[in-house]
Amino acid sequence: MHQTGLLTVLDVGNSLVMPGIVDCHVHVNEPGRTSWEGYWTATRAAAAGGVTTIVDMPLNSIPPTTSLENFQEKLQSASGRCFVDTAFWGGVIPGNQLELRPMVQAGVAGFKCFLIHSGVDEFPHVRDSDLHTAMRQLQGSGSVLLFHAEKEIQQPLAEDRDPCEYSTFLRSRPDVMELEAIRTVTELCLQYQVRCHIVHLSSAQSLELIRTARKAGAPLTVETTHHYLTLSAEDIPSGATQFKCCPPIRSIANQEQLWSALSAGDIDMVVSDHSPCTPNLKHLDSGDFTQAWGGISSLQFGLPLFWTSACKRGFSFPDVVRVLCKKPAQLCRLDNQKGSLLPGHDADLVIWDPEREFVVKEENIHHKNKLTPYLGVTLHGEVKGTIVRGKLVYFNGSFSPQPLGEQLLINHNVAQTAL
């Protein structure tokens, strides 16, 4: 690294040096819900986890990123507060179709929509008519539409079950909700030939639909998350609402199918879906899964979470780079500067020891709210240092004195590698 005109050598011993992680699914919640998280704490947690680029979701901030004016407010709130580079998703909600093109021009990475209630009233979900309108707006823009792919279905009246048992919550979000939503996504993707992306796939039952659509020419990509690959329904204790997320964590058998799909390339990438909240919203006192906020905090621990499981399944370091760095960068049209160690790319690096074990402890967590299902878990792969654009932002537990991350505005007209 160049510092004060002199070449500085950073001796990292036998540590592994890899492209920095690109986490393209992070809820920072600023402005408006900074008691949940914020750019300062989220990007410090990212840096401590070897994540050099995050892409911030359009909710649960207030206002949500659903108009050009709101996007500009978000950029202002993030300015000077990011320890790693940060890009931004816009949102598609009913009635905001004329905001989409201006937001593309202003540099959003793409757009997210919900096919079911989002959990916050200021980001309403879309109907089929809204989707067709949005797709027409996005045709030819080079942008991408992300889907929270669950749909309400007619279900038999629920029996009176204990709300503190995880199985009660799991029964309320069956696989068919994802399956029917993904059926809608694949049909739209094939009809309009607009890039589409399924966020946080949890149900392996949808994989055949996805494979069929891709073979038919759908420009469709898919992510899953660290929690679906690490946690399983069978192991969630009664009242442990820190495990609640939507779609839900499913069975061990389902998890194994997700790993197989990731290995085969049917799932393109793995992200955190970091979705924190204040502890009271998790209702730990009552342990009621039906009332608790759905979201898991894991931004800081994505790399070791993934490696702890992946190394036992024959995944190599190039596989890690593919699913945690290259593919997320491609999705966001950032692969001309992020996700690979290539001449001309940003010098974004993670320095880590894949063999070193550590225990997740509250005092070492840099997220604003420390509640996570990984507390007390032993993981393999300790991050030692993180470099963003050639500047050291984290090393051996210490951060750069000032935030050195930049805002990334996406130019969709630049030709990029096809996913």
Side-chain angles (χ1 to χ4, degrees), residues 21 44 47 125 155 166 204 289 340 372:
I21 308 300
R44 281 167 77 93
H125 66 287
Q155 295 191 62
Y166 182 72
F289 280 98
S340 302
T372 171

Short mmCIF file of all heavy atoms in Angstrom, two decimals, residues 21 44 47 125 155 166 204 289 340 372:
data_model
loop_
_atom_site.label_atom_id
_atom_site.label_comp_id
_atom_site.label_asym_id
_atom_site.label_seq_id
_atom_site.Cartn_x
_atom_site.Cartn_y
_atom_site.Cartn_z
N ILE A 21 -15.38 -9.52 0.04
CA ILE A 21 -16.74 -10.04 -0.13
C ILE A 21 -17.66 -8.92 -0.63
O ILE A 21 -17.55 -7.77 -0.20
CB ILE A 21 -17.28 -10.58 1.21
CG1 ILE A 21 -16.30 -11.57 1.86
CG2 ILE A 21 -18.65 -11.19 1.03
CD1 ILE A 21 -15.99 -12.78 1.05
N ARG A 44 -18.99 -0.93 9.64
CA ARG A 44 -17.90 -1.43 10.51
C ARG A 44 -18.01 -2.94 10.67
O ARG A 44 -17.01 -3.67 10.60
CB ARG A 44 -17.95 -0.74 11.88
CG ARG A 44 -17.37 0.66 11.87
CD ARG A 44 -17.70 1.42 13.14
NE ARG A 44 -16.90 1.01 14.28
CZ ARG A 44 -15.76 1.60 14.67
NH1 ARG A 44 -15.28 2.62 13.96
NH2 ARG A 44 -15.12 1.20 15.75
N ALA A 47 -16.76 -4.46 7.49
CA ALA A 47 -15.29 -4.43 7.41
C ALA A 47 -14.68 -5.51 8.29
O ALA A 47 -13.72 -6.19 7.90
CB ALA A 47 -14.78 -3.05 7.83
N HIS A 125 -46.58 -4.29 -0.95
CA HIS A 125 -46.26 -5.30 -1.97
C HIS A 125 -47.02 -5.01 -3.25
O HIS A 125 -48.01 -4.25 -3.27
CB HIS A 125 -46.54 -6.71 -1.45
CG HIS A 125 -47.98 -7.03 -1.19
ND1 HIS A 125 -48.67 -6.53 -0.12
CD2 HIS A 125 -48.86 -7.83 -1.86
CE1 HIS A 125 -49.90 -7.00 -0.12
NE2 HIS A 125 -50.05 -7.78 -1.17
N GLN A 155 -54.99 -21.34 2.69
CA GLN A 155 -54.55 -22.44 3.54
C GLN A 155 -55.71 -22.89 4.40
O GLN A 155 -56.58 -22.09 4.75
CB GLN A 155 -53.39 -22.00 4.44
CG GLN A 155 -52.12 -21.64 3.69
CD GLN A 155 -50.95 -21.46 4.64
OE1 GLN A 155 -50.57 -22.39 5.33
NE2 GLN A 155 -50.38 -20.27 4.67
N TYR A 166 -41.35 -23.39 17.09
CA TYR A 166 -40.95 -22.96 15.75
C TYR A 166 -41.81 -23.63 14.67
O TYR A 166 -42.12 -23.02 13.65
CB TYR A 166 -39.47 -23.27 15.50
CG TYR A 166 -39.02 -22.79 14.14
CD1 TYR A 166 -38.87 -21.43 13.88
CD2 TYR A 166 -38.81 -23.69 13.09
CE1 TYR A 166 -38.52 -20.98 12.62
CE2 TYR A 166 -38.44 -23.25 11.84
CZ TYR A 166 -38.29 -21.89 11.60
OH TYR A 166 -37.94 -21.44 10.35
N ALA A 204 -36.12 -25.65 -1.51
CA ALA A 204 -35.52 -26.40 -2.63
C ALA A 204 -36.58 -26.89 -3.62
O ALA A 204 -36.26 -27.26 -4.75
CB ALA A 204 -34.72 -27.58 -2.10
N PHE A 289 -43.26 -16.67 18.23
CA PHE A 289 -42.76 -16.56 16.85
C PHE A 289 -43.72 -15.79 15.96
O PHE A 289 -43.29 -15.13 15.01
CB PHE A 289 -42.52 -17.95 16.26
CG PHE A 289 -41.22 -18.59 16.69
CD1 PHE A 289 -41.20 -19.51 17.72
CD2 PHE A 289 -40.03 -18.27 16.06
CE1 PHE A 289 -40.01 -20.11 18.12
CE2 PHE A 289 -38.83 -18.85 16.46
CZ PHE A 289 -38.82 -19.77 17.49
N SER A 340 -13.16 -9.47 -8.04
CA SER A 340 -12.05 -10.24 -8.61
C SER A 340 -10.74 -9.50 -8.37
O SER A 340 -10.72 -8.27 -8.24
CB SER A 340 -12.22 -10.43 -10.13
OG SER A 340 -13.43 -11.08 -10.43
N THR A 372 -28.30 -12.35 17.74
CA THR A 372 -28.12 -13.16 16.54
C THR A 372 -28.20 -14.62 16.93
O THR A 372 -27.82 -14.98 18.05
CB THR A 372 -26.76 -12.85 15.86
OG1 THR A 372 -26.54 -13.81 14.80
CG2 THR A 372 -25.60 -12.93 16.84
#
